[in-house]
């Protein structure tokens, strides 16, 4: 049993198979009934939470939230998924399943356990395909084309209930027997349930222990004993009475109309996410089509630089990377190229940083691992002078094409060629004015207009947002020893596609010229020759920068180079009703945008949030206000 695990890895379950049933050696207990685990799940959790009848009565665009202690083999989750599909809830309704697991099963044990029920095979296959690596924290899995959303928290139960924002309609309490695993059933853990429950929330558990019943009653549940399953004579069920005022709040109503300003990768991902949840979305951009500005490059790398210390910044980067890899594998189509990526130790300083990184952190090899120069060269298919960090599931995208494919949805209404320049609140709605165009009116607005965002924020302009020019260079494939993988360092180069490889980008803080320059091309060539000289077939000096093609775009970043996603607030933290920011993605937009679009869509639809509270604070708008107060600064709504 491995106990010296450093973050972000988490210790996995030690499984012993006894008579074909998985048992935890740590807790000396079975994961499900020896009689029939699926029948037990249906009897205890599905039947006694009345899920079939509750699912079938759900209206369209609504959601139902099940929360669980002890994900284990995922059997309860799959049983709930199966009855959800069979109950035929309303169109665009979503089942959210929130579960915590301190010792997650390895993929092979999970596969073996779920293979016992062939009738769940299709569901199990999807779960296994998306099952996250054993790293701490919250993982959001999107299944069944978005009809099922699983928030799987790997960590302690008290941390999960403190970090996760959701209101349950039903509880599955299934964390091994109280005598075997007392931490899962301690008073603080049970008291936390009410804060995540609404009036009418139901509960079921296989145990009938008196102390558990007492604690649940004290937490606000009306409890009773009922016949158990198999050898267990009794079990417990409960409910928060409808007359009770639960600790949680109902949240804001779901808006009838949403306008998103900016059709780059962030805006396009958010528009598609909301449309798939059943909302009508107006997507606004001054360009004639989506993905033309900073999202308009022919190639972009899926890349994040993880810090030596595993702090909240590193947690956000890792969560974004893992989610985006799953998202693009599912929805990236022909625009996603999972070639793998090497973050090169291109200098003594970077080599030292990576050495400290590998000593202080323990990442599963499926996420990343250190490679020497020989292995890096073998992976890349070209000679490299240094090793680095290998990310096997990363790669590159065609971001402009991705944006244009994402917005092909009947509930996304395009308003292109509209140069939005002012947002005004009026009668509970937002009016978006363009130059000589009729106003667009919406209940809620999301500003994700990249470097144009500051000019649209209806507050005095005191946000610490910066515009950074970046130029990429297009290198003709005949001039290259084409790498098989993405290579990253002070810049990056992607494998050539259709005769061209993209490299760059410059980081120009003081140059605001929109035109391409030979000097910027020369800077990209010099960077690449220093980072990976084996890329060039002949001396780099023989490439004429004046003859290269490329693209100039302007990134929007923040003072701390971390993205912004969430309600617009003033310096004191007061929210402006009905308006959100989604910006500051910098050069890592392809990595951050899918998870943050999911988070914003969760908030807008008042559904369980995929970001834990610590990371939601990390991307909140309030941190971007300047510290000085100007007498002219006022709230715009």
């Amino acid at each position: 049993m491995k106990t010296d695990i450093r973050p972000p890895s988490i210790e996995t379950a030690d499984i012993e198979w006894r008579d074909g049933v998985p048992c935890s050696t740590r807790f000396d207990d079975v994961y499900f009934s020896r009689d029939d685990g699926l029948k037990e799940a249906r009897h205890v959790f599905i039947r006694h939470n009345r899920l079939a009848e509750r699912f079938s009565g759900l209206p369209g665009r609504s959601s139902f939230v099940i929360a669980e202690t002890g994900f284990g083999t995922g059997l309860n989750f799959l049983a709930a998924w199966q009855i959800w599909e069979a109950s035929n809830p309303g169109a665009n309704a979503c089942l959210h399943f929130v579960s915590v697991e301190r010792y997650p099963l390895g993929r092979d044990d999970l596969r073996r356990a779920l293979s016992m029920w062939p009738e769940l095979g299709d569901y199990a296959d999807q779960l296994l395909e998306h099952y996250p690596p054993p790293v701490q924290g919250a993982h959001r899995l999107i299944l069944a084309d978005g009809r099922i959303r699983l928030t799987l928290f790997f960590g302690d139960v008290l941390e999960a209930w403190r970090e996760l924002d959701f209101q349950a309609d039903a509880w599955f309490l299934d964390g091994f027997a109280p005598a075997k695993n007392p931490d899962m059933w301690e008073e603080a853990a049970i008291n936390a349930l009410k804060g995540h429950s609404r009036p009418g929330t139901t509960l079921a558990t296989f145990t009938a222990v008196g102390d558990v019943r007492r604690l649940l009653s004290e937490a606000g549940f009306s409890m009773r004993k009922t016949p158990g399953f198999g050898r267990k004579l009794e079990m417990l069920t409960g409910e928060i009475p409808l007359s009770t005022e639960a600790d949680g709040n109902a949240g804001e109503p779901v808006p009838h109309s949403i306008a998103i300003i900016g059709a780059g990768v962030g805006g396009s991902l958010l528009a598609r996410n909301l449309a798939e949840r059943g909302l009508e979305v107006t997507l606004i951009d001054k360009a004639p089509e989506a993905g033309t500005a900073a999202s308009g490059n022919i190639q972009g790398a899926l890349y994040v630089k993880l810090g030596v210390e595993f702090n909240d910044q590193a947690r956000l980067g890792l969560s974004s990377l893992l989610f985006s890899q799953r998202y693009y594998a599912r929805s990236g189509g022909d625009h996603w190229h999972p070639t793998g990526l090497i973050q090169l130790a291109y200098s003594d300083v970077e080599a030292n940083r990576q050495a400290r990184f590998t000593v202080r952190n323990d990442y599963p090899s499926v996420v990343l691992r250190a490679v020497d120069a020989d292995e890096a060269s073998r992976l890349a298919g070209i000679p490299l002078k240094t090793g680095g960090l290998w990310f096997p599931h990363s790669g590159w995208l065609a971001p402009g094409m991705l944006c244009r494919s994402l917005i092909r949805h009947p509930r996304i209404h395009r308003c292109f060629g509209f140069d939005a320049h002012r947002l005004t609140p009026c009668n509970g709605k937002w009016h978006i004015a363009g130059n000589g165009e009729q106003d667009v009116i919406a209940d809620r607005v999301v500003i994700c207009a990249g470097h144009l965002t500051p000019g649209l924020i209806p507050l005095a302009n005191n946000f610490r947002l910066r515009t950074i020019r970046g130029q990429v260079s297009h290198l003709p494939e005949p001039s290259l020893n084409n790498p098989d993988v993405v290579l990253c360092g002070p810049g990056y180069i992607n494998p050539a596609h259709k005769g061209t490889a993209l490299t760059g980008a410059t980081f120009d803080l003081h140059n605001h010229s929109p035109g391409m320059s030979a000097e910027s091309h020369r800077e990209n060539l010099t960077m690449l020759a220093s980072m990976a000289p084996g890329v060039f077939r002949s001396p780099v000096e023989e490439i004429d920068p004046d003859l290269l093609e490329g693209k100039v775009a302007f990134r929007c970043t923040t003072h701390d180079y971390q993205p912004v996603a969430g309600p617009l607030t003033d310096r004191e933290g007061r929210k402006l009703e009905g308006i959100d920011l989604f910006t500051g993605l910098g050069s890592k937009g392809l990595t951050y945008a899918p998870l943050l679009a999911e988070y914003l869509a969760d908030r807008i639809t008042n559904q369980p949030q995929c970001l834990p509270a610590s990371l939601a604070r990390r991307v909140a708008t309030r941190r971007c206000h300047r510290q000085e107060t100007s007498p002219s600064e006022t709230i715009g709504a």
Side-chain angles (χ1 to χ4, degrees), residues 251-253 255 423-431 442-446 458-459 566-570 573-580 603 635-637:
E252 297 180 18
L423 278 69
T424 306
C426 182
N427 296 326
K429 295 182 180 292
W430 284 96
H431 290 240
D443 295 324
R444 191 153 181 167
V445 176
V446 183
L459 287 172
L568 177 60
T569 63
D570 65 10
R574 295 173 298 189
K575 239 181 5 176
L576 274 73
E577 293 300 324
I579 188 165
D580 300 89
R603 294 192 65 116
I635 299 177

Side-chain angles (χ1 to χ4, degrees), residues 47-62:
R47 176 184 170 190
H48 284 93
N49 279 295
R50 309 188 309 277
L51 293 187
E53 61 185 87
R54 294 168 78 184
F55 289 169
S56 64
L58 283 175
R61 288 179 39 181
S62 61

Side-chain angles (χ1 to χ4, degrees), residues 505-564:
T506 60
F507 191 87
D508 307 322
L509 281 170
H510 306 295
N511 179 0
H512 300 294
S513 169
M516 278 195 300
S517 76
E519 182 57 36
S520 292
H521 282 316
R522 188 174 293 109
E523 182 181 336
N524 285 333
L525 292 171
T526 302
M527 173 277 298
L528 185 56
S530 174
M531 181 182 83
V535 164
F536 293 101
R537 287 188 177 176
S538 55
V540 66
E541 293 79 12
E542 296 181 7
I543 299 177
D544 186 349
D546 289 309
L547 300 180
L548 290 179
E549 296 182 354
K551 180 178 173 59
V552 172
F554 294 91
R555 315 178 189 100
C556 179
T557 190
T558 61
H559 65 291
D560 57 7
Y561 295 100
Q562 294 290 281
V564 176

Side-chain angles (χ1 to χ4, degrees), residues 6 39-40 194 236 247 253-254 268-269 298-299 308 323 345 415 433 483 486 488 492-493 517 546 562 626:
R6 292 155 290 150
K39 285 184 179 178
E40 177 189 45
K194 187 181 179 184
L236 294 175
D247 293 343
V254 178
S268 298
L269 281 162
I298 59 172
Q299 292 180 310
V308 172
F323 184 87
C415 185
V486 180
C488 285
Y492 66 94
I493 182 170
S517 76
D546 289 309
Q562 294 290 281
R626 299 188 191 279

Side-chain angles (χ1 to χ4, degrees), residues 292-308:
T292 59
S295 299
N297 287 334
I298 59 172
Q299 292 180 310
L302 186 64
Y303 166 65
V304 65
K305 192 168 185 176
L306 300 166
V308 172

Side-chain angles (χ1 to χ4, degrees), residues 81-266:
W81 182 354
Q82 184 185 46
I83 198 68
W84 172 268
E85 300 283 15
S87 300
N88 195 29
N92 302 116
C94 180
L95 172 63
H96 279 269
F97 198 96
V98 181
S99 187
V100 60
E101 179 57 61
R102 176 61 183 84
Y103 301 99
L105 268 70
R107 188 181 299 272
D108 290 341
D109 284 324
L110 187 69
R111 179 180 290 107
R112 180 176 176 182
L114 295 178
S115 68
M116 299 174 67
W117 292 282
E119 68 177 281
L120 299 177
D122 290 344
Y123 309 115
D125 287 346
Q126 286 195 57
L127 174 61
L128 286 161
E129 180 185 354
H130 294 272
Y131 192 64
V135 297
Q136 304 168 9
H139 304 268
R140 169 61 61 82
L141 279 61
I142 301 176
L143 305 162
D145 296 325
R147 298 190 304 278
I148 307 291
R149 279 177 158 84
L150 170 62
T151 304
L152 190 51
F153 190 95
F154 288 163
D156 293 321
V157 65
L158 281 174
E159 182 186 7
W161 301 154
R162 183 171 58 249
E163 282 276 85
L164 297 178
D165 189 331
F166 68 92
Q167 296 296 299
D169 296 291
W171 284 95
F172 294 0
L173 303 188
D174 190 28
F176 292 122
K180 306 279 189 178
N181 184 18
D183 289 349
M184 186 71 82
W185 303 91
E186 67 177 11
E187 184 173 0
I190 289 179
N191 284 341
L193 303 186
K194 187 181 179 184
H196 290 288
S197 301
R198 338 171 188 266
T201 294
T202 60
L203 174 151
T205 178
F206 63 89
T207 188
V209 172
D211 283 346
V212 171
R213 181 179 183 180
R214 174 182 58 80
L215 288 171
L216 287 168
S217 295
E218 292 174 354
F221 289 88
S222 176
M223 300 299 301
R224 63 185 180 278
K225 287 184 179 181
T226 191
F229 177 81
R231 306 171 200 183
K232 294 185 178 180
L233 298 179
E234 294 178 315
M235 57 169 281
L236 294 175
T237 64
E239 186 169 352
I240 298 280
L242 287 171
S243 59
T244 299
E245 183 177 344
D247 293 343
N249 58 70
E252 297 180 18
V254 178
H256 293 289
S257 55
I258 290 189
I260 298 173
I261 305 175
V265 65

